[in-house]
Structures are given as structure tokens and as C-alpha cells.
Amino acid sequence: MNIATVSRIARPSKEQRIDTIVESARKVFCSRGFEKGSIVDIARDAGIAEGTLYRYFDGKRGLLDEVLRRHYLVVFDDIQKTLPNMEGHGNRLRYLIRRILLAISADRGMCGLITRDIRQFDDKQPSLAQDLNRQMAVLMAEEIKAGIKSGSFRADTSPRIVCDMIGGGLEVIAHAYMRTGRAIDVNKVTESISLTVLGGIQSKDATAQSM
């Protein structure tokens, strides 16, 4: 007599289910936008009931924050591993500019989500993307301050103004990318921004360093 063995399919763990929901939210938000993308759409893409989704997230805003957190985590993790090994404050600033450009060009859907949808949140409840962008600006400002202290950058350099100039330039590039869909030449744009910025703040005594 043959005994058929029925193997039970293991249910996904809590972490696996959350990963699936967040990935579905990313797809829906990037394709439809935060406003038009619905919890129903996300639950359907994740293959779960709408009520199940609410067991893990309290709504779309919480999902958006988690999508953004995971996106920026990759960027900051790379920075944490790479930046300490780079020599020269100019090179380190150049690397930060390049890393942001890579993040912009690598995922047009996420670029659109960040440049388009975070603007609907007012200052009373800033989005996670705004907070993480500020953290990136802090990294740049710290590098500029260190360059001033070491004599690599001019003493009269304003870290805030330089960061605003870089941030504004990168924002224009991101909006142009969303408008035209034209690929960004990351290396060329990095060098263009870097030469413009560093040309204005580098000390005359500083030695130009190559990447």
C-alpha cells in the first residue's frame, strides 16, 4: 500500500510578508504616484487581503516612509563603507555628489516619487525623504567644514551656501530627468558640478587630487 506524503507549504514569515508588502507599495507608488496608488492596489499586488496589510502598517503614509527608508538605506550604507577610504576633502565631496546622481539615475520611478510626491507634505509633518535629504546635506557640510579646517578649502567658504548650490543643482537635474527621460551621464555631470563648486572654494595652496 502506497502512502502519499503531503508536504505542507510553509507560511511566509512576518519579515517576508512585510518585505512583500513594501515591494508592492514601491511598485504602486512609483507607477501611479502616492495619491493615486491605493491600499487596495498594494494589497492586490502583494497577494493579500487589505485587512492583512493593516496588521503591519497603519496606512499609506507609513508604507511610503518604509519605502523611502529602504531606498535611502542602500545609499547611506554605500557611503558609510566608501567615504572613510577616500583621500582628500574635494574627492570626498565629489563622491557624495556622484552617489546622489547614481541614486537618481538608477531608479526613475523612485526619483519621481521623491521629487513629485514629498512636496505635498507640509512642514508640520515633513516626509522621511526630506529628513534624509537633510542628513545628506549634513554629510556634505561636515566635509566642507573639515576642508576649511585643514586648509584645503577657503576660510570664507559658507558650508550652507555650498550645500544649497549643490542640492539645487541636483534637484534641477532630477526634475529634468523626470521630464525628458533622458539618461544622465553620471560621470560627466559629477565632474561638471564638482569643478564648478571646488573651483570656487578650494584654497590656492591646495593640491588638486585625482579620483
Side-chain angles (χ1 to χ4, degrees), residues 155-173:
D156 59 353
T157 299
S158 167
R160 181 172 182 176
I161 291 176
V162 174
C163 289
D164 285 346
M165 289 173 62
I166 295 172
L170 292 171
E171 186 174 1
V172 169
I173 290 167

Side-chain angles (χ1 to χ4, degrees), residues 13-189:
S13 66
K14 178 182 177 181
E15 290 74 19
Q16 290 172 326
R17 184 154 284 174
I18 290 174
D19 289 344
T20 300
I21 293 170
V22 173
E23 176 57 23
S24 293
R26 187 193 68 80
K27 287 164 58 179
V28 170
F29 291 154
C30 287
S31 62
R32 304 197 61 188
F34 178 74
E35 277 299 319
K36 293 182 179 178
S38 68
I39 290 293
V40 174
D41 295 327
I42 296 168
R44 186 184 299 118
D45 187 88
I48 60 173
E50 186 179 347
T52 303
L53 188 150
Y54 281 109
R55 289 170 53 190
Y56 304 101
F57 295 94
D58 57 6
K60 287 204 303 180
R61 183 63 189 271
L63 274 167
L64 176 64
D65 281 348
E66 183 60 16
V67 168
L68 293 171
R69 187 190 71 80
R70 293 188 182 207
H71 173 73
Y72 278 89
L73 184 64
V74 175
V75 178
F76 281 106
D77 184 59
D78 186 42
I79 290 172
Q80 190 175 30
K81 291 177 180 176
T82 307
L83 196 61
N85 300 318
M86 302 199 71
E87 294 185 4
H89 299 294
N91 277 339
R92 290 157 73 96
L93 192 60
R94 184 188 284 113
Y95 163 74
L96 290 172
I97 294 169
R98 186 175 190 276
R99 190 63 191 82
I100 297 171
L101 284 168
L102 283 172
I104 291 171
S105 63
D107 192 332
R108 190 163 177 251
M110 281 300 302
C111 178
L113 183 64
I114 293 168
T115 59
R116 177 186 62 230
D117 290 326
I118 65 170
R119 293 186 178 279
Q120 67 184 285
F121 302 118
D122 58 32
D123 293 335
K124 294 179 181 177
Q125 191 183 13
S127 78
L128 183 63
Q130 290 168 319
D131 183 52
L132 292 169
N133 284 338
R134 278 193 290 271
Q135 290 183 37
M136 184 68 75
V138 168
L139 285 175
M140 288 188 179
E142 288 176 347
E143 206 56 57
I144 294 166
K145 290 174 184 176
I148 294 171
K149 187 175 181 180
S150 70
S152 300
F153 299 153
R154 289 170 42 172
D156 59 353
T157 299
S158 167
R160 181 172 182 176
I161 291 176
V162 174
C163 289
D164 285 346
M165 289 173 62
I166 295 172
L170 292 171
E171 186 174 1
V172 169
I173 290 167
H175 279 286
Y177 178 46
M178 292 309 303
R179 188 177 66 254
T180 66
R182 221 174 275 130
I184 300 171
D185 187 332
V186 172
N187 291 333
K188 182 178 179 180
V189 177

Side-chain angles (χ1 to χ4, degrees), residues 2-17:
N2 294 327
I3 301 176
T5 303
V6 179
S7 58
R8 183 176 298 173
I9 300 174
R11 295 180 62 186
S13 66
K14 178 182 177 181
E15 290 74 19
Q16 290 172 326
R17 184 154 284 174

